[in-house]
């Protein structure tokens, strides 16, 4: 058997971030923070923005549910952002068509909750009306080109920030009322802070899957985090309160709208319509349909943060789950969890960053430092065997399937690794029912390479 040669990982060409830490746990323990996650539809979701940023930046745990990897979802239109980049805006910019689409989503969500059409129309008209926002000409002067006048808003938006803070405070301190009473009160008094569009995500609602939430409810997926701790203090309470206040606060967006204007039209001219141009402006409005991005952890990542690092607490509703309960639940949700977690724990302890390898037909992908810096070096298949390398294999490979899997891995500039987790023959099922079984597990790696006859002949000739 030929000895496997280690290949250095292939570094990515464009790296736009710096490496912070391998784990979200400081060596000194001074900046230790207990993060919170929730069990939702057999998935582990982190909602607090502070916890999301910490877990991903320090160790690259999880994945944004609305992004490719890093949780950085924004509703802004990239073309509009580049168009208005000289205005130095700090709010999302969307088109009028997309804003009207969100209004329709909010209308459908309110109608599903039993509101009549008249109340829904009044609520949305009151909630989406233009807000006071000072506008100045872009660059201090009006720019005209190709029949389009673009005007940029003033960078000093102190009035809007102050109004946003007042609305947030009013929303957070408003007393809970039934939604229909709130609707009637909002229609009668015109109170924007108490609109049910903001309070749509009630605490009794469970967060839904992203696709269903984006189509069915404007706030179901943004439902408030249940605290689950009865004490007045503690990091879990603070994290829950911050998540609640962030989701209750209205989101302000800039909508690019068009208005018809004229440039000295000539009377009696046959081409009078050509003298009219469309002037584009940005109007500040509230977003009636908010989409929150959360960090979704794989079962292996969540258990590693709970068991190995001790910096995460997973809640089911308002009840925190213990380590033994998580081991039991994750094993029921994913029958191969014990095997894959043993491999994940082993490679994490060796300094690798394992991610889900479903895209390449394997269990894990191993990155050096993290996905932003290097391409994955290895595709790993984990198998649990006994001392004689025998056992009921999870995915028995034939020569044809192994050749195809190896070919796919090599074409992606990776290497295929078989990770055998060896358990003692005297280990019982009772021992496997707890994570303490990890202490008796041994690991054997095997790299699968393709034998090329011409290459072997040339190497023998060189010798």
């Amino acid at each position: 058997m030929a000895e496997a040669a280690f290949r250095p990982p292939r570094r990515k060409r464009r790296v736009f971030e710096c490496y912070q830490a391998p784990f979200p746990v400081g060596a000194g323990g001074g900046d230790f923070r207990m993060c919170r996650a929730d069990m939702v539809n057999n998935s582990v979701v982190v909602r607090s923005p502070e916890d999301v940023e910490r877990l991903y930046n320090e160790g690259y745990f999880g994945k944004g549910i609305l992004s490719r990897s890093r949780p950085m979802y924004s509703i802004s239109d990239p073309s509009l952002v580049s168009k208005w980049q000289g205005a130095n805006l700090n709010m999302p910019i969307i088109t009028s068509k997309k804003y009207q689409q969100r209004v329709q989503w909010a209308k459908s969500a309110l109608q599903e909750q039993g509101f009549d059409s008249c109340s829904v129309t009044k609520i949305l008209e009151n909630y989406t009306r233009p807000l006071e926002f000072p506008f100045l000409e872009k660059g201090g002067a009006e720019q005209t080109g190709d029949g389009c006048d673009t005007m940029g808003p003033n960078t000093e938006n102190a009035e809007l920030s102050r109004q946003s803070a007042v609305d947030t405070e009013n929303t957070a301190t408003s007393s809970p009322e039934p939604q229909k009473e709130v609707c009637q009160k909002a229609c009668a008094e015109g109170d924007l802070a108490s609109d049910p569009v903001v309070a749509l995500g009630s605490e009794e609602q469970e967060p839904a899957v992203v696709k269903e939430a984006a189509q069915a409810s404007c706030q179901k997926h943004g439902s408030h985090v249940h605290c689950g701790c009865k004490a007045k203090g503690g990091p879990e309470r603070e994290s829950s309160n911050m998540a609640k206040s962030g989701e209750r606060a209205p989101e302000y967006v800039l909508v690019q709208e068009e208005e018809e204007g004229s440039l000295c039209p000539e009377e009696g001219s046959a081409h009078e319509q050509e003298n009219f141009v469309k002037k584009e402006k940005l109007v500040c409005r509230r977003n009636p349909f908010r989409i929150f991005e959360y960090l979704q952890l794989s079962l292996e990542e969540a258990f590693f943060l709970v068991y190995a690092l001790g910096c995460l607490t997973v809640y089911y509703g308002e009840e925190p789950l213990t380590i033994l309960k998580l081991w039991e639940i994750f094993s029921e949700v994913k029958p191969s969890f014990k095997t894959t977690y043993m491999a994940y724990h082993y490679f994490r302890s060796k300094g690798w960053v394992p991610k889900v390898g479903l895209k390449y037909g394997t269990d894990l992908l191993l990155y050096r430092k993290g996905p932003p810096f290097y391409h994955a070096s290895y595709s790993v298949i984990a198998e649990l065997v006994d001392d004689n390398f025998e056992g009921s294999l999870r995915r028995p490979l034939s020569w044809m399937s192994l050749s195809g899997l190896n070919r796919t891995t090599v074409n992606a500039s990776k290497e295929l690794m078989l990770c055998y987790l060896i358990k003692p023959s005297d280990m019982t099922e009772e021992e496997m029912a707890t994570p303490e079984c990890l202490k008796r597990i041994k690991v054997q790696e095997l790299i699968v390479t393709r034998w090329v006859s011409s290459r072997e002949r040339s190497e023998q000739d060189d010798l």
Side-chain angles (χ1 to χ4, degrees):
M1 180 181 294
E3 183 179 358
F6 175 77
R7 298 180 182 177
R10 191 161 57 96
R11 187 175 181 85
K12 293 188 175 180
R13 296 181 179 179
R14 299 180 181 179
V15 179
F16 302 98
E17 57 185 274
C18 59
Y19 184 74
Q20 294 189 13
F23 299 117
V25 178
D31 57 344
F32 178 79
R33 174 188 176 89
M34 179 63 71
C35 301
R36 176 195 171 111
D38 293 275
M39 194 75 181
V40 179
N41 296 333
N42 296 334
S43 301
V44 181
V45 176
V46 180
R47 298 173 176 173
S48 173
E50 291 76 13
D51 295 343
V52 169
E53 182 179 1
R54 185 178 183 88
L55 292 178
Y56 189 85
N57 291 343
E58 300 181 9
Y60 299 98
F61 291 91
K63 174 190 177 299
I65 60 174
L66 301 177
S67 305
R68 292 188 60 184
S69 181
R70 172 176 290 278
M72 52 183 300
Y73 171 77
S74 176
I75 63 175
S76 294
D77 191 339
S79 60
L80 296 182
V81 173
S82 59
K83 178 180 179 180
W84 296 88
Q85 60 183 354
N88 296 326
L89 302 172
N90 295 324
M91 289 186 290
I93 308 176
I94 60 177
T95 61
S96 178
K97 181 179 180 181
K98 289 185 177 180
Y99 187 80
Q100 293 300 325
Q101 185 180 22
R102 293 177 178 273
V103 173
Q104 292 298 325
W105 290 345
K107 182 178 180 180
S108 300
L110 289 174
Q111 291 177 348
E112 289 178 0
Q113 295 190 2
F115 296 103
D116 58 283
S117 301
C118 178
S119 300
V120 170
T121 303
K122 291 181 179 180
I123 290 174
L124 292 179
E125 288 180 356
N126 193 19
Y127 190 81
T128 61
R129 65 183 182 183
L131 301 177
E132 294 294 334
F133 188 75
F135 283 89
L136 290 180
E137 297 175 358
K138 186 175 181 180
E142 183 175 346
Q143 298 180 359
T144 305
D146 298 333
C148 177
D149 297 337
T150 58
M151 302 177 63
N154 187 8
T155 58
E156 298 178 358
N157 51 359
E159 296 182 4
L160 179 61
S161 301
R162 183 163 53 252
Q163 184 178 0
S164 175
V166 172
D167 291 340
T168 303
E169 182 179 358
N170 294 337
T171 305
T173 58
S174 60
S175 59
E177 298 180 3
Q179 292 183 353
K180 291 189 177 180
E181 296 180 2
V182 176
C183 172
Q184 296 175 358
K185 182 179 179 181
C187 294
E189 302 179 2
D191 187 7
L192 295 179
S194 61
D195 279 348
V197 182
V198 180
L200 217 63
S202 62
E203 295 185 358
E204 290 76 11
Q205 293 176 347
E206 291 293 336
V209 186
V210 180
K211 293 183 179 180
E212 297 177 356
Q215 298 174 356
S217 174
C218 67
Q219 287 286 351
K220 283 184 180 180
H221 59 283
S223 60
H224 306 311
V225 182
H226 298 285
C227 178
C229 83
K230 299 180 181 179
K232 294 183 179 180
E236 293 85 358
R237 184 75 176 184
E238 295 178 1
S239 175
S240 176
N241 293 336
M242 295 177 68
K244 284 184 179 182
S245 61
E247 294 180 359
R248 287 179 180 269
E251 180 184 20
Y252 295 93
V253 296
L254 295 175
V255 184
Q256 178 177 283
E257 299 180 357
E258 296 180 352
E259 60 178 1
E260 292 186 356
S262 61
L263 292 178
C264 301
E266 299 179 0
E267 296 181 358
S269 175
H271 303 283
E272 183 176 355
Q273 295 181 353
E274 298 180 359
N275 296 326
F276 286 92
V277 296
K278 291 183 178 180
K279 299 175 63 177
E280 296 178 347
K281 63 178 181 178
L282 296 180
V283 180
C284 182
R285 300 178 185 271
R286 289 184 178 90
N287 182 14
F289 190 95
R290 296 190 63 182
I291 298 179
F292 299 94
E293 175 158 39
Y294 301 135
L295 186 71
Q296 183 175 4
L297 300 173
S298 66
L299 301 183
E300 293 80 9
E301 291 173 332
F303 195 82
F304 183 83
L305 292 171
V306 174
Y307 173 72
L309 300 183
C311 63
L312 181 70
T313 302
V314 180
Y315 284 76
Y316 182 75
E318 297 183 358
E319 177 186 0
L321 301 178
T322 62
I323 295 178
L324 294 179
K325 191 65 176 179
L326 283 176
W327 184 265
E328 178 184 354
I329 293 177
F330 289 171
S331 300
E332 293 178 357
V333 172
K334 184 178 180 180
S336 62
F337 167 75
K338 296 178 181 178
T339 303
T340 55
Y341 177 74
M342 291 176 185
Y344 182 93
H345 189 105
Y346 172 77
F347 289 113
R348 264 289 183 181
S349 62
K350 293 296 183 180
W352 294 95
V353 179
K355 305 297 287 186
V356 178
L358 183 62
K359 181 167 59 175
Y360 296 99
T362 57
D363 298 320
L364 298 173
L365 293 177
L366 300 185
Y367 293 86
R368 182 190 177 190
K369 294 178 67 175
F373 306 100
Y374 294 92
H375 294 277
S377 301
Y378 300 98
S379 296
V380 182
I381 294 179
E383 291 288 356
L384 184 63
V385 296
D386 56 11
D387 295 334
N388 299 323
F389 285 84
E390 296 178 354
S392 57
L393 300 181
R394 296 173 42 249
R395 44 186 304 175
L397 298 174
S398 62
W399 284 111
M400 184 177 297
S401 60
L402 181 61
S403 177
L405 186 61
N406 187 40
R407 189 67 171 264
T408 303
T409 305
V410 172
N411 289 342
S413 300
K414 298 171 179 53
E415 289 186 277
L416 182 61
M417 178 187 297
L418 302 180
C419 179
Y420 292 101
L421 304 163
I422 307 172
K423 67 175 182 178
S425 301
D426 58 347
M427 181 176 290
T428 61
E429 292 296 331
E430 288 75 12
E431 296 182 58
M432 292 291 295
T434 63
E436 293 297 320
C437 63
L438 295 173
K439 300 178 180 179
R440 302 185 61 188
I441 298 295
K442 298 180 180 179
V443 182
Q444 177 67 50
E445 306 105 330
L446 178 64
I447 298 179
V448 180
T449 58
R450 179 169 172 260
W451 183 75
V452 182
S453 58
S454 59
R455 185 185 305 168
E456 293 293 332
R457 284 200 306 269
S458 61
E459 293 179 356
Q460 292 296 332
D461 295 339
D462 295 339
L463 295 176

